[in-house]
Amino acid sequence: MGDQQFKQSVELTLKVVGGKWKPVILCHLTEGTHRFGELKREMPEITQKMLTQQLRELEQDEIIHRKVYKQVPPKVEYSLTPYGLTIKEVLNVMSVWGANHQKKMHLTPDGPHKEANET
């Protein structure tokens, strides 16, 4: 799998859904439609500006759909497009790999390495 097409495809995938926040956003959206405020509450570490930017990029790449309701106050919902739903397989593989890596490296879910000889 070391051919150029493979490498280019992986690079393109990472360009579209890579980074610190896009996979997390996509994980939340695999659970269903979310409003902006819900996403922000579920990811307290992300800034409003960054969340807005990441959502716009995902929308431009047709991974998510942004639905605006014409009401006061404005209501906006985000959901995965049918094409965006195909990313769930990738997220599942990432989740399995991450769980295996966590075990191998003796990592805690939120923290630094736990020494292998600590009990």
Side-chain angles (χ1 to χ4, degrees), residues 62-108:
E62 300 181 6
I63 305 298
I64 65 170
H65 174 72
R66 179 176 184 263
K67 184 173 184 179
V68 180
Y69 293 87
K70 296 181 185 205
Q71 64 183 49
V72 177
K75 177 181 173 182
V76 180
E77 292 181 337
Y78 295 92
S79 59
L80 292 174
T81 63
Y83 177 60
L85 286 169
T86 64
I87 198 66
K88 191 166 184 177
E89 289 180 53
V90 175
L91 296 172
N92 288 339
V93 170
M94 289 173 64
S95 175
V96 170
W97 189 91
N100 290 335
H101 183 68
Q102 181 180 352
K103 287 178 192 172
K104 178 183 179 358
M105 301 304 292
H106 307 286
L107 300 174
T108 60

Side-chain angles (χ1 to χ4, degrees), residues 54-68:
Q54 300 295 285
L55 289 168
R56 283 186 184 146
E57 289 175 12
L58 289 166
E59 183 183 11
Q60 288 171 349
D61 288 323
E62 300 181 6
I63 305 298
I64 65 170
H65 174 72
R66 179 176 184 263
K67 184 173 184 179
V68 180

